[in-house]
Amino acid sequence: YTISILGIASAAVLLWSEASIAMTRCGPVLLPDFVERSAYVSIFIIVSGTNLSRIIFGSSMTEVLMGDAIGETTAGKNLFGSMEVLAVASVLGAFALLAWQVLNGDAFADGAGLSGIDVRWCKLTNEV
């Protein structure tokens, strides 16, 4: 259960960050950078495992690790499957956000790093 809950929390952090960037052009002010970076690494690992599982075994990571769930493990399998779906959704959200930033010209603006966020503009708007 712990891995599933951490994965769901990481996906929620990424979706929150992506929504914040889409709405404000800045990351979430109240989200510490360490938490956001950790969430990105966690989601990268989960989605990599999911893709590798589909390539090697031809089925989801949930099916490979949990197999046929019976009784009590059904809840764990559902939670793990939800984590897997949310992780993939957060990665797709990141690509959609990148496309939106490219279309708006934010991705390659002066002062924007690899994240596509103009750090100077965000500092200026958040100091008020």
Side-chain angles (χ1 to χ4, degrees):
Y1 289 117
T2 305
I3 292 173
S4 300
I5 291 173
L6 288 174
I8 289 171
S10 295
V13 165
L14 260 59
L15 291 169
W16 174 29
S17 175
E18 292 159 4
S20 176
I21 292 168
M23 291 188 298
T24 67
R25 295 175 52 197
C26 297
V29 178
L30 301 175
L31 183 64
D33 287 339
F34 175 76
V35 173
E36 190 172 9
R37 282 193 300 267
S38 299
Y40 271 102
V41 170
S42 299
I43 293 300
F44 175 77
I45 291 169
I46 293 166
V47 172
S48 297
T50 297
N51 288 335
L52 190 62
S53 171
R54 292 206 181 268
I55 291 168
I56 294 174
F57 302 111
S59 64
S60 71
M61 188 167 60
T62 303
E63 290 298 321
V64 170
L65 295 178
M66 306 293 259
D68 294 328
I70 299 171
E72 200 175 285
T73 59
T74 303
K77 185 176 179 179
N78 290 339
L79 193 62
F80 197 86
S82 298
M83 176 216 43
E84 195 173 9
V85 168
L86 282 171
V88 171
S90 64
V91 170
L92 294 176
F95 281 114
L97 177 63
L98 176 62
W100 181 80
Q101 287 176 316
V102 168
L103 290 174
N104 284 338
D106 291 338
F108 306 110
D110 288 339
L114 291 175
S115 65
I117 297 172
D118 188 346
V119 177
R120 293 175 296 183
W121 185 82
C122 290
K123 284 184 180 178
L124 181 68
T125 58
N126 291 325
E127 284 181 3
V128 175

